[in-house]
Amino acid sequence: GPHDRDETIGPNRPFKDIAWGLASRGIAVLRYEKRTKAYARKVTPTSMTVKEEVIDDALEAIDFLRSRSEVDSRKIFLLGHSLGAMLAPEIATLSGKLAGIIVAAGPARHLEDVIVDQIEYITSLKESPADADEKMLSDLKENLARLKAHTLPDSARIIGIPARYLYDLGRRDQVQFARDLRIPILILQGERDYQVTMEDISLWNRAIGNRADVKIITYPDLNHLFATGSGKAKPEEYLRLGYVANQLIEDVSSWIKENSPAK
């Protein structure tokens, strides 16, 4: 989606929290508006893939940082959240110039499987789901089944996302990219996250968790935005002001410093 540089969601600004937290620990941070936010009127959603939406600009950002005299080009790390985290291993592979990546709430599964889990979870929170909810979930599953069978037209939309976009995303294998990377990887996951879940952590762990250069940290009280909460996470939680947990920022800062090449 068209996120700004703060990744603003309701009153929450998780990227701003992370950036300021890292900067206060001596780590320079570059954030930028996604092109779908900055140039919303110029983009054509029906022809866009994650290459145009995410990957191209991330690669440009890396090259921009490498051109700055005040930045040590050997110590550039990429942090992605959610979809950005899913694409971080591929971006690192294409760049070939990173010291490491941070995968924050990154799906290890196909996005269509993540979407079904999200909608089922949200529906389950209702004491008595309406018939409209059940029909929407049934239609969604039917369309996703057609997507997997490659019988859904490119122009069709699934919860607003063009099928063409999902077809392209489904051809990308973030886990295999991560397996092939030979740079440090930090994987972060909130255990209260219902959008990307502990099932994804199990898959990451199974694929690369035994590597010495991979570290996986989960946080029992944190949600998808890495804000603290209790009980079952709910969508309305995103409408309340929260902040990225200090422990996560401390973990990222320490890991970056530990994995930065020596002078």
Side-chain angles (χ1 to χ4, degrees), residues 169-210:
L169 190 59
R171 287 190 287 268
R172 302 171 187 275
D173 188 341
Q174 64 271 33
V175 173
Q176 189 58 53
F177 276 115
R179 282 196 189 102
D180 294 339
L181 276 180
R182 290 297 172 259
I183 57 175
I185 301 173
L186 175 62
I187 299 175
L188 308 170
Q189 178 68 40
E191 294 182 23
R192 294 180 61 254
D193 187 345
Y194 68 83
Q195 293 186 249
V196 180
T197 70
M198 294 300 289
E199 181 179 349
D200 294 285
I201 281 294
S202 295
L203 293 171
W204 285 120
N205 199 40
R206 195 181 311 157
I208 58 175
N210 62 345

Side-chain angles (χ1 to χ4, degrees), residues 40-141:
R41 295 182 180 180
K42 295 183 179 181
V43 299
T44 307
T46 53
S47 63
M48 180 174 285
T49 70
V50 291
K51 179 181 184 298
E52 295 83 17
E53 187 195 16
V54 179
I55 295 172
D56 288 349
D57 289 343
L59 292 171
E60 289 286 346
I62 293 165
D63 287 341
F64 172 77
L65 282 172
R66 286 174 57 82
S67 73
R68 303 290 297 185
S69 60
E70 67 267 46
V71 174
D72 188 334
S73 62
R74 301 169 306 141
K75 299 180 181 181
I76 297 174
F77 293 80
L78 172 69
L79 186 153
H81 177 239
S82 203
L83 177 64
M86 184 178 182
L87 296 168
E90 181 176 354
I91 293 166
T93 301
L94 293 170
S95 170
K97 301 167 184 174
L98 292 173
I101 60 170
I102 298 106
V103 175
R109 296 170 289 160
H110 288 299
L111 188 61
E112 54 264 31
D113 296 322
V114 175
I115 289 171
V116 168
D117 274 5
Q118 288 180 18
I119 302 299
E120 284 185 332
Y121 178 86
I122 292 169
T123 302
S124 75
L125 295 174
K126 300 180 179 181
E127 290 186 11
S128 301
D131 290 344
D133 295 322
E134 299 291 353
K135 185 177 187 311
M136 185 268 291
L137 184 57
S138 175
D139 290 346
L140 174 66
K141 287 181 176 180

Side-chain angles (χ1 to χ4, degrees), residues 235-261:
E236 51 264 34
E237 201 168 309
Y238 300 157
L239 302 179
R240 298 194 299 267
L241 178 61
Y243 298 94
V244 171
N246 187 67
Q247 185 59 56
L248 180 138
I249 293 171
E250 191 58 49
D251 288 340
V252 172
S253 172
S254 298
W255 182 85
I256 286 174
K257 291 175 180 179
E258 289 168 6
N259 288 281
S260 292

